[in-house]
Amino acid sequence: MKKITFALAALLALGVAGCATSQEPANTEGANQPAAEQAATAGAEDAVAFTDDLGNEVTVANPQRVVACMGSFANAWELAGGTLVGVSDDALTAEGFAIESPDVATVGDFTNVNLESIIALEPDFVIMTSGTGGRGGDSSQVDLREALVSSGIPVAYFEVTTFDDYLRLMRTFADITGDEAAYEQNAASVQQAIEGIKSQVSADEAPTALVMTTYSGGTRVQSSGTMTGAMLADLGVRNLADENRSLLKDFSLESVIELDPDFIFVIPMGNDAEAATAALNEATAANPAWNSLSAVQNGHYVTLDPKLFLSKPNANWDESYQVLYDTLYGQN
């Protein structure tokens, strides 16, 4: 970005010579540039190039009109010192996110963001998820990449499941915003706190656990490849779903009773967490053997806060780890 060509050097030399022999009017070319071109010229030296999670090479230069198409990404961008002109609906409606950018517009649900709404905001950077729509949807934000790129709009795709993913995301965002203090506060210090929590786990302890997300229509079991599952693995837990993969496809109360985990963690999901929890409680109460589970008898049947274990906790990842650590080992 800071390369000077021989041609430019020659022009500069001629300019200096001209000033020495005559008095020319000041160069007003910059003043006649459109605002967008002036911003691009001013930010050229600050341009940041990186590879997104889809392997695309992306270059952005001091973006001021940013659209984030997932609530956790919108929150992370602000935590890295950035501001937003557009967000997906969940950034404004999901618990745990507090978007502070003024006059921010919405571009639709993250499962089906509106391309026209995004382009209408004239963004100079768009942040998208490389995952599918979720919630049973089949839409994908990846499908919009070609249209955005052909419109000259830089777009980057990310996928955040674990804290390490969040740390990488924040490093990229802070490199773009140039706000190193924000990175230290909302990423590096969080990492330090998590490492302190993990260091307290004894190598001799390996409690077993199952993690279940419950919604009004049923229950799903999580492996160690999920957000909460990965945190438990970091804390020395044996996730029984990793050893019994059939549970990931077909939830079975009988299988849970047979496995008899030391801990059962439940995460309510959906718009009605109470209805989701009630549905699971009704299903478990229908099986008399449920109360014989070690986790139930020992008070290790734990409902987790969706703000810390369903939505990405971002700057509060250390709080999520601490809750799990206290539950697993705090009573020992």
Side-chain angles (χ1 to χ4, degrees):
M1 304 303 171
K2 298 183 179 180
K3 296 178 181 177
I4 299 178
T5 64
F6 287 114
L8 179 57
L11 288 173
L12 289 173
L14 287 173
V16 172
C19 290
T21 56
S22 63
Q23 293 185 356
E24 297 288 343
N27 186 351
T28 59
E29 180 181 356
N32 295 324
Q33 284 182 296
E37 291 183 17
Q38 291 185 46
T41 302
E45 294 186 355
D46 299 323
V48 174
F50 61 94
T51 303
D52 72 6
D53 287 354
L54 288 180
N56 302 310
E57 295 296 326
V58 183
T59 301
V60 291
N62 191 29
Q64 299 299 307
R65 297 189 60 79
V66 178
V67 174
C69 298
M70 180 167 276
S72 60
F73 293 165
N75 177 243
W77 178 253
E78 288 195 335
L79 289 174
T83 57
L84 297 155
V85 296
V87 296
S88 54
D89 294 346
D90 60 307
L92 302 177
T93 60
E95 290 188 60
F97 303 137
I99 302 304
E100 298 180 356
S101 299
D103 303 321
V104 67
T106 59
V107 295
D109 189 272
F110 79 92
T111 63
N112 190 24
V113 293
N114 186 281
L115 177 64
E116 289 75 17
S117 296
I118 295 172
I119 293 177
L121 292 172
E122 300 183 349
D124 48 15
F125 183 37
V126 177
I127 303 165
M128 288 189 156
T129 173
S130 57
T132 56
R135 297 190 198 145
D138 57 2
S139 62
S140 172
Q141 294 183 12
V142 177
D143 297 338
L144 304 181
R145 181 177 184 275
E146 185 176 348
L148 291 169
V149 172
S150 63
S151 298
I153 301 171
V155 55
Y157 289 87
F158 300 95
E159 184 169 1
V160 173
T161 300
T162 67
F163 174 73
D164 286 344
D165 294 334
Y166 167 74
L167 202 62
R168 185 184 71 252
L169 178 80
M170 288 295 287
R171 180 68 274 168
T172 300
F173 283 1
D175 286 345
I176 296 170
T177 64
D179 196 334
E180 193 62 24
Y183 177 81
E184 290 297 323
Q185 177 181 346
N186 297 309
S189 65
V190 179
Q191 180 185 30
Q192 185 176 7
I194 290 173
E195 291 303 321
I197 295 168
K198 289 163 60 176
S199 69
Q200 300 176 59
V201 178
S202 170
D204 298 330
E205 297 182 270
T208 60
L210 281 177
V211 184
M212 303 185 296
T213 51
T214 183
Y215 53 103
S216 57
T219 300
R220 296 173 185 166
V221 176
Q222 296 188 8
S223 70
S224 293
T226 63
M227 183 178 80
T228 303
M231 286 190 277
L232 288 170
D234 283 344
L235 296 174
V237 172
R238 237 179 84 214
N239 189 332
L240 296 180
D242 296 339
E243 305 166 16
N244 302 269
R245 307 293 292 182
S246 61
L247 270 175
L248 301 177
K249 294 182 179 180
D250 300 306
F251 174 73
S252 164
L253 284 176
E254 290 73 18
S255 296
V256 175
I257 292 168
E258 182 179 349
L259 292 172
D260 195 22
D262 297 323
F263 290 86
I264 296 176
F265 295 98
V266 178
I267 309 170
M269 66 179 298
N271 296 327
D272 192 340
E274 290 185 7
T277 302
L280 177 61
N281 289 339
E282 182 178 349
T284 56
N287 192 321
W290 183 260
N291 290 325
S292 68
L293 281 167
S294 300
V296 175
Q297 292 184 348
N298 296 327
H300 294 167
Y301 178 78
V302 181
T303 300
L304 297 174
D305 186 345
K307 288 186 292 185
L308 293 175
F309 297 98
L310 188 61
S311 301
K312 299 301 180 294
N314 288 351
N316 298 314
W317 275 90
D318 54 338
E319 184 179 346
S320 298
Y321 271 89
Q322 189 66 61
V323 167
L324 292 178
Y325 177 86
D326 290 344
T327 302
L328 293 163
Y329 306 113
Q331 300 176 19
N332 294 344

